[in-house]
Amino acid sequence: MKYEAVIGLEVHAELSTKSKIYCSCSAKFGAGINEHTCPVCTGMPGALPVLNRQVVHYAAKMGLATGCTVNRLCQSARKNYFYPDLPKAYQISQAEHPICSDGEVFFYVDGKKKSCRLERIHFEEDAGKLLHDEIDGTVVDFNRCGVPLIEMVTRPDLRSSAEAKEFLETIKTTLSYLDICDCKMEEGSIRCDVNVSIRSEGSEEFGTRVEMKNINTFSGAVRAIDYEVARQIDVVEHGGKVQQETRRWDDVKLKNTVMRTKEDAQDYRYFPDPDLIAVEIDDTWMEQIQSEIPELPLARYERYLHDYGMTAMEARQISDSFAKANLLDAAAASGKIEPKKAANWILSDISKYLNDKEIEVEDTMLTPDKLVDLICLIDKGTISGAAGKKVLIELFEKDETAAQIVKRLGLEQVSDEGAILAIVQDVISRNEKAVADFKAGKNVTGFLVGQCMKASKGQGNPQIINKLIAQELSKL
Ligand code: ADP
Ligand code: MG
Ligand code: ZN
């Protein structure tokens, strides 16, 4: 029998607010153990939470960017459970009134457009962290307690690990375009729970699902899904039944084990948090949030494919980066250059420079105008492509225009035919062997062009050199 996988994801993203969700502690990652704590986030008796307005703003922004309905009245609820990293013994989250609901996220898998619906997006606080140490035993670090999260819950619309991966990548680039999450996977900024079931192909009914929690890389999610789909098929093929349970994915041993079964499923006893009043997003606030949403990664990707003649890979590489996409769009908006030429620079020399230095475009002096000027200088033949690469490095590092740099470095291409003819004639007269080879029917143009470029210190216009070499050789 053929089986189909059915997958639903619960994705947690840490929001990049300055302070935590219910207190004024810093939400920054990487402080010393328990340095970013106060009575509120460590759950001391009598401490009262106050909702951070920025969290509501960011959560609603993500909702608008993913086609959700933003529910204007935001209520908080307590989700009760005990764990040593949660000193209050409840997490402040949202229950039946999430800030956003009913969205849809679009993405491409192997050139086909797919989508996955979002059931909801709600905001909540993160829990602390247990640090297990062989000598000191277990240390509880409450720094992460109260760091704001949004949780995005999908409908079970995904049908393969490849779809899950592209969905997750789209969520990530959307978060980074919106500038609401730092997306540092290695710091746990985005984590997900995966829910997996199988059914026979063509069936309309859903099978029993298994959940795997807290997976912190997208490749790990792919491995966890592939493993679980294979495991469930194996269970069914051997006459068994998939049990509804939570399993722990081990990304080192590459297998999962039962964590808890349906019998000990938790009842979180959600109830409205009496310490927090509902917050309403009024029209002015909504308009403000809406106005901050830029053209999103998928729209740009499609535009680059259809309008700029880029390949899927090129369009993806640029649209994945907000900074690179903005550079391309601003350069194209000048109307002075072919967008594809700017894209080529961004994908090659610009990306290489930024990767080597591990920085972003905005950390350099390069601007769209400067890039446009550079391309125009090459288009007009003022400088060669090779000289352009030298100019680019200067554009990153100096507050000068491309023209100023060309002048300062003396990179201007020689296009004066008289001057080049003199060089060509000199090179031909000094290379008797090449002339002999030419007379014997060999192609010596490449060699002679190289010699002429050398003689002109790289500044001779190669088109003119080529033309004049052909002209002089034909006279022999
Ligand atoms: P819980 O709160 O217990 O985790 P939910 O009903 O909220 O349960 O579902 C959580 C996730 O499980 C959602 O992302 C949903 O899409 C997914 N899901 C639900 N049913 C299935 C199924 N049969 N197979 C795979 N995923 C499923
Ligand atoms: Mg769940
Ligand atoms: Zn605090």
Side-chain angles (χ1 to χ4, degrees):
M1 187 173 348
K2 280 205 111 187
Y3 297 93
E4 176 179 65
V6 172
I7 301 149
L9 303 174
E10 295 156 272
V11 188
H12 288 92
E14 278 181 354
L15 299 177
S16 50
T17 55
K18 278 208 181 70
S19 55
K20 292 185 178 180
I21 182 167
Y22 300 116
C23 64
S24 56
C25 288
S26 166
K28 218 174 150 123
F29 180 87
I33 293 171
N34 291 315
E35 261 174 30
H36 293 166
T37 54
C38 75
V40 175
C41 55
T42 52
M44 294 296 156
L48 286 174
V50 179
L51 179 59
N52 181 344
R53 185 185 158 93
Q54 197 70 20
V55 171
V56 175
H57 192 98
Y58 283 2
K61 206 168 158 183
M62 189 60 180
L64 287 179
T66 50
C68 288
T69 304
V70 176
N71 306 307
R72 304 290 193 92
L73 204 62
C74 304
Q75 286 176 300
S76 298
R78 291 186 181 181
K79 178 180 182 179
N80 299 277
Y81 69 97
F82 169 78
Y83 201 71
D85 64 9
L86 187 75
K88 298 197 297 292
Y90 62 84
Q91 177 193 29
I92 309 176
S93 180
Q94 293 191 288
E96 66 266 33
H97 304 293
I99 182 165
C100 311
S101 49
D102 300 315
E104 189 165 11
V105 173
F106 295 87
F107 50 91
Y108 284 85
V109 179
D110 295 331
K112 280 208 193 80
K113 195 168 184 170
K114 307 255 169 160
S115 84
C116 177
R117 289 167 300 158
L118 287 184
E119 183 182 316
R120 58 189 278 150
I121 301 178
H122 65 256
F123 55 79
E124 61 186 22
E125 56 181 345
D126 209 342
K129 243 187 212 168
L130 299 180
L131 309 171
H132 303 289
D133 186 290
E134 273 178 28
I135 297 155
D136 295 333
T138 295
V139 174
V140 195
D141 181 1
F142 292 128
N143 282 346
R144 206 177 65 181
C145 268
V147 167
L149 295 174
I150 45 174
E151 176 171 342
M152 294 157 271
V153 182
T154 77
R155 304 255 174 211
D157 288 349
L158 302 162
R159 295 290 174 266
S160 67
S161 57
E163 289 186 16
K165 176 150 191 295
E166 290 308 319
F167 168 83
L168 288 167
E169 295 284 0
T170 305
I171 290 289
K172 183 180 171 191
T173 46
T174 305
L175 289 165
S176 80
Y177 266 58
L178 299 180
D179 198 18
I180 61 173
C181 171
D182 65 22
C183 299
K184 291 184 181 159
M185 304 299 292
E186 66 284 4
E187 294 179 4
S189 300
I190 306 175
R191 294 147 5 217
C192 72
D193 302 343
V194 302
N195 297 270
V196 177
S197 65
I198 56 163
R199 61 184 178 189
S200 52
E201 221 173 60
S203 160
E204 292 290 316
E205 270 162 61
F206 287 132
T208 305
R209 84 182 146 109
V210 162
E211 177 167 11
M212 288 174 286
K213 284 192 175 293
N214 251 318
I215 295 173
N216 52 16
T217 62
F218 296 167
S219 57
V222 168
R223 289 186 287 273
I225 291 167
D226 289 342
Y227 175 91
E228 181 56 22
V229 170
R231 192 192 68 83
Q232 290 184 16
I233 291 174
D234 193 59
V235 167
V236 174
E237 295 272 279
H238 285 85
K241 257 188 146 168
V242 174
Q243 302 299 315
Q244 184 175 340
E245 57 198 10
T246 303
R247 300 179 71 92
R248 181 182 287 110
W249 171 248
D250 186 328
D251 207 27
V252 177
K253 291 185 185 146
L254 298 177
K255 60 191 206 113
N256 64 29
T257 44
V258 183
M259 226 166 111
R260 55 171 186 260
T261 56
K262 196 182 177 186
E263 285 70 50
D264 44 53
Q266 297 185 357
D267 175 2
Y268 294 112
R269 296 180 297 119
Y270 280 99
F271 66 89
D273 193 308
D275 289 341
L276 287 157
I277 51 163
V279 170
E280 200 192 343
I281 309 178
D282 62 20
D283 291 347
T284 326
W285 192 2
M286 273 304 279
E287 281 159 25
Q288 174 62 34
I289 300 169
Q290 182 75 62
S291 74
E292 291 173 14
I293 297 179
E295 187 189 17
L296 293 166
L298 190 92
R300 297 209 197 195
Y301 171 81
E302 291 177 337
R303 200 156 50 72
Y304 297 162
L305 269 187
H306 302 134
D307 299 354
Y308 291 180
M310 290 162 69
T311 66
M313 176 125 79
E314 291 167 343
R316 180 68 187 269
Q317 273 171 15
I318 295 188
S319 64
D320 270 358
S321 155
F322 190 45
K324 286 179 189 166
N326 285 342
L327 178 61
L328 172 60
D329 287 337
S334 72
K336 295 182 193 161
I337 53 154
E338 282 169 51
K340 184 71 169 55
K341 283 191 178 162
N344 289 346
W345 278 97
I346 294 170
L347 289 166
S348 56
D349 294 71
I350 293 176
S351 287
K352 183 173 181 323
Y353 180 90
L354 299 175
N355 289 345
D356 286 351
K357 304 242 166 194
E358 293 180 11
I359 53 174
E360 288 288 337
V361 180
E362 57 262 32
D363 304 323
T364 74
M365 312 281 268
L366 183 70
T367 60
D369 286 347
K370 287 181 172 185
L371 177 60
V372 169
D373 288 346
L374 173 64
I375 295 169
C376 287
L377 288 175
I378 298 169
D379 283 350
K380 279 190 295 193
T382 311
I383 57 171
S384 66
K389 288 172 189 277
K390 288 185 197 153
V391 174
L392 177 71
I393 303 297
E394 300 291 310
L395 288 175
F396 280 126
E397 293 166 7
K398 306 241 161 55
D399 185 21
E400 278 179 297
T401 64
Q404 283 167 336
I405 293 166
V406 167
K407 206 158 179 209
R408 177 163 60 77
L409 299 182
L411 293 171
E412 204 157 321
Q413 193 161 253
V414 178
S415 298
D416 173 48
E417 296 213 3
I420 293 178
L421 182 61
I423 292 173
V424 168
Q425 286 170 339
D426 178 53
V427 164
I428 290 178
S429 70
R430 284 192 288 108
N431 286 280
E432 284 163 22
K433 180 165 183 307
V435 171
D437 286 348
F438 170 73
K439 287 183 174 153
K442 286 196 187 143
N443 185 348
V444 295
T445 311
F447 169 77
L448 290 175
V449 170
Q451 293 301 307
C452 293
M453 285 307 283
K454 219 179 192 175
S456 71
K457 300 197 182 68
Q459 282 164 255
N461 182 323
Q463 272 108 43
I464 297 176
I465 291 177
N466 258 298
K467 187 184 88 181
L468 296 181
I469 286 175
Q471 174 195 305
E472 292 305 297
L473 287 178
S474 69
K475 291 185 190 160
L476 292 172

